[in-house]
Amino acid sequence: MQAKNDGGQDMARILLVEDEFLVSETLSSVLESGGHTVIRAVNGNEGLKKYADGPFDLVITDIIMPDKEGIGMILEMRRRTPNAKIVAISGGGRSGTTEFLRMAKELGAMAVMQKPIRLAEFSRVLKECLATSATTIPPIPAQLSDNESLSPTSQ
Amino acid sequence: MSHAGQRGLLVVHPLQTAGGEIDLAPLRAGLSTNWEEYGPSLHRIASRVIRQELPETVACVRLDDTYRVIFANVSELHAINKCQNIADEIERRLTNALATDGTPGRNPKRRQPGSAANLGSSRGILRVLRAFLRALGFLSDTDTGITRGHGGPRGESVNAGADTLKDVRSPSGGGRGVGHPVAARVSATNIPVRAHDGLDPKELVISPRDGLGGDAVAKHSVGAEMPRGPAIADQSLRDFMEHPKGLPAHAAGRNQNPAHPKRTAIAFPPADLRFEFFPFWNLMTNLVTAYGIKPMGTAGPLYAAGPSGEPRHCSSAETFMLDRIMLRECVTILESSKQPQKRALVCTFVHARTLQDPTMARQFLQCCERIPEELRPKLVIEIADAGDVIRSEEGRETISNVSRFVRATLARLPVSVTNMSALVALPIAAAGCDFSGDCREEEAVIRDLEAFAVIARRSKLASYARGLQTVSLTIAAVAAGFRYIEGAPVGRSGLDHLLEVMPFKIADLYGARPSVRTAAL
């Protein structure tokens, strides 16, 4: 039985992967004020390392990050944990953002959010994701489930 | 480089080292008593050339009039060739500047600090140097051109009779001395490494290894040819691209008399020269619509990181030769790819050095003129370090002229560029930058990518990014708004799939389906 916060919500262990310090700081303080435990990482590689120390109830990740971006990280996490709960966020106004978020959704992200993030919406999405059963998450597309195809730079 | 720097190099590469020397002593002798006054300026020119030609990781120390260069992990042959190239370049700077002196405005690019034309306010040094170089046969009597070359074009009146080269290998084994104002030779091989501090540069030089005679150099390097693709149907075009008029045969990459014992070693094009083609992903159409050529050697890419892309240790004549060979290769590929599915464009590049030199620019344009009409709509030329070229009126005119012979012209710029407005008036289809070999943190590269895209958009130019090594950088480039992306995650193409237009989407970066990255290799 998970502990509950003041609002009666389950207190969760959340991995926040975000390279922009201000965004990370803001989201982290919102999450912590809700009684959740937040583990932070600044890129996909670090995120995967910390994910291995899990378990986590939720992963919130940016898409555009140095060293390993969000989509690759989501793919890797879903391969490791098919029912991982993930929320993807990405910068607004730049080209490709919609495509990235669409792809994150295809890869099984429970929710996607475009920056700038409204805190009210963030809180709503957070509540929904934590309340949703992990069994409803669709599997990753078959063409992306092959582990060997994960390393394009190795060629 | 400091002694500490040399020590660092030697410690890292303790087993295979080779030394070469670039010696200004013949210049000192030729200038006699004038040396005291003008020697420092000549050394400035030499140092500048050496700095430009050698990567920072190569140790170089000056001892009196000799620059001693210590290469790691290269053969003696390689070392002497590099030193010869540098000596060539120093000579070229001197002779070009002297040849063009007295004709103001003809070549203003050369009137810059460190050039021979600025040796001093007095013209005396120029007279003395001219007389000296003329005596050696480096300047023609009329001073309007430079006679016979040593691995490259020497102005407008290059003498194709390269067999008369005065190169005489030094007794120390390989290299040249007599007959050249700047000498190059092997100084040492397998230099012993001393672990303790206080390394004296003089201790770096030991006796050269026996057996490195001129024949050995000639055997390995003279007449080296690039691997050849299918024959170009137009024999005259092929001949011209390999032997442009006015260039010595050996400078054009083919040697007419490889057995000549006195011929200077030609390190370029290297015997292992080959080409790889990298697809350009067009973000507007989500297709691979072009393939960019890159020269490669066994040891890796034959181009440097950054906007200029100039291969290390290569003189301007050699980079010109490479430009010509790449153009020829692209024409060959286009000629041999007439299947309906092979509709993609092929993109070659030309170095700034080639377009900045009037003679070489003219030669390059003549090569372009010979591209068959029907192939021109499928050929794209990228101007490396275009920012440097467009500074002069001649450079801008050259770019305009080049663009007449191809489908599109791209401008490669430094990633730190802050203004692209000068490109707007030129026939430039897109501005881009190359991140091949960029070793910085990805965070810094992403910042630069975003800034570059913003500046390009401000000038209403399409932008492209080349040489992106990771998916995260590629994703960042997509997000930044680049229209064309080339790099490892997009893949490289095998010959079977070369010039095929292929769909490519973001998901393909993660292996969503067989793509150019997986299917073409």
Side-chain angles (χ1 to χ4, degrees), chain B residues 22-24 26-27 45-46 49 83-99 116 129 132-133 136-139 146-151 153-154 165 167 176-184:
Chain B
I22 299 152
D23 195 0
L24 301 194
L27 266 180
I45 294 171
V49 172
C83 288
Q84 282 184 344
N85 289 340
I86 293 169
D88 278 344
E89 188 63 18
I90 295 170
E91 283 177 12
R92 196 187 67 80
R93 299 270 175 106
L94 286 174
T95 48
N96 272 7
L98 289 171
L129 260 178
F132 172 57
L133 293 173
L136 286 177
F138 274 79
L139 285 180
I146 301 149
T147 63
R148 67 162 176 71
H150 183 81
R154 297 284 188 189
L165 280 173
D167 294 45
R176 65 189 197 170
V178 179
H180 281 275
V182 183

Side-chain angles (χ1 to χ4, degrees), chain B residues 412-428:
Chain B
R412 189 193 304 169
L413 302 169
V415 71
S416 55
V417 69
T418 54
N419 189 344
M420 298 182 194
S421 56
L423 294 177
V424 175
L426 292 170
I428 298 289

Side-chain angles (χ1 to χ4, degrees), chain A residues 4-57:
Chain A
K4 306 253 182 204
N5 61 15
D6 293 342
Q9 191 182 5
D10 285 340
M11 292 201 298
R13 189 171 143 86
I14 297 172
L15 175 61
L16 175 62
V17 189
E18 168 64 66
D19 64 322
E20 288 178 49
F21 177 75
L22 280 179
V23 177
S24 176
E25 194 70 10
T26 308
L27 294 183
S28 183
S29 57
V30 170
L31 293 168
E32 282 169 350
S33 67
H36 303 297
T37 303
V38 181
I39 311 294
R40 287 156 71 169
V42 293
N43 60 49
N45 281 334
E46 194 183 338
L48 284 171
K49 266 186 206 157
K50 293 195 171 169
Y51 188 73
D53 300 334
F56 289 94
D57 299 302

